Amino acid sequence: VTWKVPTPGTASLFSAVCYYFGRELAEDLGVPIGLVQSTKGGTYIAEWTHATGGTCTSMQLARDNAPGADGRLFDTKILPLAPYAIRGFVWYQGENDSRDCAAVYYNMLQGLIAEWRAAWGEGDFPFGIVQLPFGRTPDTQQAQLQAYLTVPNTFLAVTTDLPILGGTALHPANKRPVGIRLAIGARAVAYGEAVAPVGPIPDPVRSFVRGRTVVISFTNVGSGLVTGSEWQPAGAPGPFSLAGPSGGFHPATAKIVGNTVHVTSPTVRTPVQVRYTWWRDGRGNLYSAVRIPIEGGRATYTRLPASPFFMLLRSATVGPAPILL
């Protein structure tokens, strides 16, 4: 195996997301960036780790992940690379696990990160997660968000706002924004740059219900919450939906108020759950406004998208803190 300089011939055989990721880092840092691709399409997370994820509750669909294949691809495609000196890993997977509950994927992703880090013995090296873009994977998206929030030294590239080719493919046809968002996260986490690593993240501790209105607070708001980008229209933030005690989500309307979003639905008198860009609701248009130099300073990135999320809520006056699942 030899290192290859990217050309139209060599790059066409390589991951486009990784190419744009590496190019952005190289232009920002002013040094060559080496990338090693170890991939296989259509796989389960269980094939990449020996960690177990437990089972879903009776209210969720449980199924066996890749029976008989636990850890196979870790043993054959990841472990042989150790202890080659690396700066970190990037992980882009999850469609095959989209029917499992969030807890199973979250537990396995936590375990995967720990197992890969242990194999190198370099401590908690940076680990980037590309959050899945496709609308049928909400539990996986939620688990990837939760891993970013709880596992140290990770970064998250949100992709839900990006157009899907023909509306039916699994991933955005334009890989450049995915790679750039990954690189921005790596610049913050791996290289210590003072740039926003991710767009708006819901803050469950400071979110609550006041009457019929859900007030969602966010962290990572940059210079403020905004809607609209080159990929999504401006206007009211969304799509949001609400559910009451009896269950069943209903479309909701929202507006930005400072660093919060206020959400209401005429059909939900007592909201207890809220979700954003969930299932097939649509592509989100909520962003943080930022000014991040990219492409070696030749351009500026001005929008980082909010992650899809689901949250249990509390009253403004009583009740336990809300839970981001």
Side-chain angles (χ1 to χ4, degrees):
V1 178
T2 59
W3 291 104
K4 295 180 180 179
V5 175
T7 66
T10 59
S12 65
L13 303 175
F14 199 74
S15 161
V17 168
C18 285
Y19 167 77
Y20 286 113
F21 169 69
R23 188 178 77 172
E24 172 59 26
L25 286 180
E27 292 188 331
D28 177 71
L29 300 170
V31 297
I33 297 292
L35 299 169
V36 177
Q37 178 178 326
S38 186
T39 55
K40 183 180 180 182
T43 59
Y44 295 84
I45 190 172
E47 297 178 73
W48 296 92
T49 179
H50 295 94
T52 58
T55 59
C56 299
T57 69
S58 59
M59 297 298 293
Q60 296 166 306
L61 177 63
R63 90 180 155 163
D64 193 3
N65 281 306
D70 291 358
R72 177 187 61 190
L73 294 178
F74 171 79
D75 294 336
T76 59
K77 296 180 74 68
I78 300 300
L79 192 58
L81 299 174
Y84 197 90
I86 61 170
R87 195 70 176 86
F89 269 100
V90 168
W91 173 254
Y92 193 172
Q93 183 273 345
E95 291 89 357
N96 272 29
D97 300 286
S98 61
R99 291 176 58 199
D100 292 312
C101 63
V104 166
Y105 192 90
Y106 169 71
N107 290 337
M108 297 196 74
L109 183 54
Q110 270 198 118
L112 180 147
I113 295 171
E115 184 174 30
W116 290 24
R117 285 172 169 173
W120 264 261
E122 296 182 12
D124 291 343
F125 57 62
F127 197 99
I129 302 165
V130 180
Q131 190 182 54
L132 292 182
F134 199 59
R136 75 182 187 195
T137 59
D139 285 323
T140 306
Q141 292 169 329
Q142 187 80 2
Q144 290 167 333
L145 169 62
Q146 197 68 14
Y148 162 70
L149 291 172
T150 57
V151 180
N153 228 23
T154 57
F155 52 98
L156 182 73
V158 177
T159 64
T160 321
D161 62 314
L162 300 176
I164 299 297
L165 183 64
T168 59
L170 293 179
H171 299 281
N174 184 358
K175 311 300 185 185
R176 176 177 172 271
V178 184
I180 289 178
R181 290 172 185 180
L182 266 180
I184 288 172
R187 286 166 58 181
V189 173
Y191 298 99
E193 285 192 42
V195 296
V198 71
I201 299 293
D203 183 349
V205 174
R206 296 187 296 119
S207 300
F208 55 88
V209 177
R210 181 188 292 129
R212 298 178 65 160
T213 300
V214 175
V215 179
I216 308 172
S217 294
F218 290 85
T219 60
N220 294 282
V221 296
S223 58
L225 295 175
V226 296
T227 60
S229 69
E230 64 180 288
W231 301 284
Q232 296 298 329
F240 284 92
S241 55
L242 296 176
S246 61
F249 280 88
H250 300 271
T253 58
K255 63 179 180 180
I256 296 171
V257 181
N259 290 335
T260 69
V261 172
H262 292 201
V263 186
T264 59
S265 173
T267 55
V268 181
R269 288 182 170 272
T270 308
V272 296
Q273 301 177 75
V274 61
R275 65 189 186 187
Y276 171 69
T277 64
W278 198 258
W279 193 238
R280 299 186 184 276
D281 290 345
R283 306 209 169 277
N285 69 342
L286 180 64
Y287 297 84
S288 59
V290 295
R291 291 194 62 82
I292 301 175
I294 61 171
E295 298 179 350
R298 300 188 304 276
T300 302
Y301 217 69
T302 62
R303 296 287 189 270
L304 285 174
S307 169
F309 65 88
F310 164 83
M311 187 161 49
L312 300 177
L313 298 159
R314 64 178 172 87
S315 163
T317 55
V318 296
I323 302 172
L324 184 66
L325 295 180

